Amino acid sequence: MAGLETRELECFLVLAEELHFGRTGERLYVSQGRVSQLLRSLERRIGARLVERTNRRVALTPLGERFRDSLQPAYAQLSAVVEQARAEARGVTGVLRLGFQGPADECVVSAIRTFESRFPSCTTELTELPLNDPFSALRRGEVDAAIVLLPVEEPDLLVAATFPAEQQHIAISAQHAFADRDEVSAEDLADLHLIAPASPAPTYWQDAQTPPRTPSGRPIPRASTVTTLQEAITRTAAGQGAMLLCGPTAQHHARRDIRFVPVTGLPPSTLGLTYPRAAETSQLRAFAATLAEA
């Protein structure tokens, strides 16, 4: 191990994956010449060729293949040890308690997995928040951060990251006259009775999820208020109203007695990561950065 450079090992592993000096250089932000230099240096240390290179192809030698298979888990373990030490130095340790509304979709779960792999000294705990109360758990200190539907206009809360915007869909009973449509317009909502989140959600937030009027100003009737998403889905299936949902949530709740029809003319639905401004930590900043990358 005397004098062994981790950069040489990293370069070899990337080259073993790409089998292309140009792409390897791009991934490592170095020139092709630097890739060749690092490879030659590693081969001199080992005393044998690891890679065969011709004008047409790049391939590992049999020794190179065995070296790759042995090196990959060892390098991954070494990287994890270094990353854990960095995380501890930055204070990204302990438990991060995350609240979320509705189903935690693939984007949320993927970000959590990436965060936990990047910061193995920090684990996450997930808590479902009531549909009608996106902020109280934050203020009571029951969760450290929450993934909620925007907008968030609370002076004490910071929106640290946002998810991709999603088209809104209307959830209606399969027996409804709109059920066979390919889409409905925002103006069509005046012919429905919308199920809305109940208090204590702020009025501006309720109106964003359940608009009181169409873009032209026609009133949109409200059927009832609910506290949970499952309650709203059940009432929709029973024909007791309709509800606006984003596309991923609609897909998650697909069932035979409900149709989810895209709505045109409405602002998209967006999730955001929010937490108290006065309680920002290294954990929260790291998780927000992970979400922004995702």
Side-chain angles (χ1 to χ4, degrees):
M1 289 291 289
L4 187 61
E5 294 287 342
T6 57
R7 189 64 166 168
E8 295 173 2
L9 302 179
E10 180 184 23
C11 180
F12 170 74
L13 288 175
V14 174
L15 182 59
E17 181 179 337
E18 294 289 349
L19 296 178
H20 190 282
F21 279 73
R23 290 195 296 270
T24 298
E26 290 175 0
R27 282 181 55 178
L28 297 175
Y29 300 100
V30 299
S31 66
Q32 293 187 45
R34 179 57 175 159
V35 173
S36 298
Q37 182 184 33
L38 289 168
L39 176 63
R40 286 196 300 270
S41 178
L42 179 61
E43 288 177 332
R44 283 197 298 271
R45 295 180 194 280
I46 291 176
R49 297 289 297 276
L50 300 173
V51 175
E52 294 287 354
R53 182 182 186 183
T54 67
N55 291 333
R56 295 184 177 182
R57 63 191 294 266
V58 176
L60 298 181
T61 65
L63 175 61
E65 292 179 349
R66 294 192 297 273
F67 183 59
R68 174 202 59 198
D69 294 343
S70 298
L71 177 62
Q72 281 178 331
Y75 187 83
Q77 184 176 7
L78 176 62
S79 298
V81 170
V82 173
E83 191 58 52
Q84 182 170 351
R86 291 178 60 197
E88 291 177 359
R90 288 178 287 177
V92 187
T93 60
V95 178
L96 178 61
R97 300 169 301 165
L98 292 174
F100 63 96
Q101 289 184 295
D105 64 19
E106 292 180 7
C107 186
V108 174
V109 173
S110 176
I112 291 171
R113 288 175 177 167
T114 300
F115 175 76
E116 290 187 336
S117 65
R118 187 173 294 174
F119 303 103
S121 293
C122 185
T123 58
T124 57
E125 291 182 353
L126 298 177
T127 300
E128 185 173 2
L129 303 177
L131 179 65
N132 68 318
D133 195 3
F135 309 129
S136 294
L138 281 171
R139 291 178 171 135
R140 291 193 298 264
E142 296 170 1
V143 295
D144 301 308
I147 297 171
V148 300
L149 288 163
L150 299 183
V152 175
E153 299 176 3
E154 309 299 298
D156 60 322
L157 300 181
L158 171 70
V159 178
T162 59
F163 289 77
E166 299 284 353
Q167 183 179 16
Q168 298 208 58
H169 290 60
I170 191 70
I172 52 178
S173 166
Q175 307 303 316
H176 195 276
F178 288 176
D180 294 329
R181 290 194 183 185
D182 293 330
E183 62 181 33
V184 298
S185 72
E187 293 299 323
D188 291 326
L189 298 182
D191 299 322
L192 298 171
H193 287 72
L194 294 188
I195 298 169
S199 298
T203 300
Y204 76 84
W205 189 89
Q206 291 177 319
D207 289 347
Q209 316 314 323
T210 312
R213 296 184 178 277
T214 69
S216 70
R218 297 171 64 199
I220 302 175
R222 289 192 175 178
S224 59
T225 58
V226 295
T227 60
T228 69
L229 180 58
Q230 190 56 52
E231 183 182 356
I233 292 293
T234 302
R235 292 191 186 182
T236 298
Q240 298 176 2
M243 187 175 188
L244 287 169
L245 299 170
C246 68
T249 302
Q251 293 174 6
H252 181 83
H253 289 280
R255 46 191 286 178
R256 289 180 297 177
D257 51 0
I258 294 179
R259 297 291 182 268
F260 298 96
V261 184
V263 182
T264 61
L266 283 183
S269 176
T270 307
L271 289 171
L273 175 73
T274 184
Y275 49 76
R277 295 178 184 274
E280 190 173 35
T281 64
S282 297
Q283 288 178 327
L284 292 172
R285 287 192 293 269
F287 187 72
T290 302
L291 281 182
E293 293 174 13

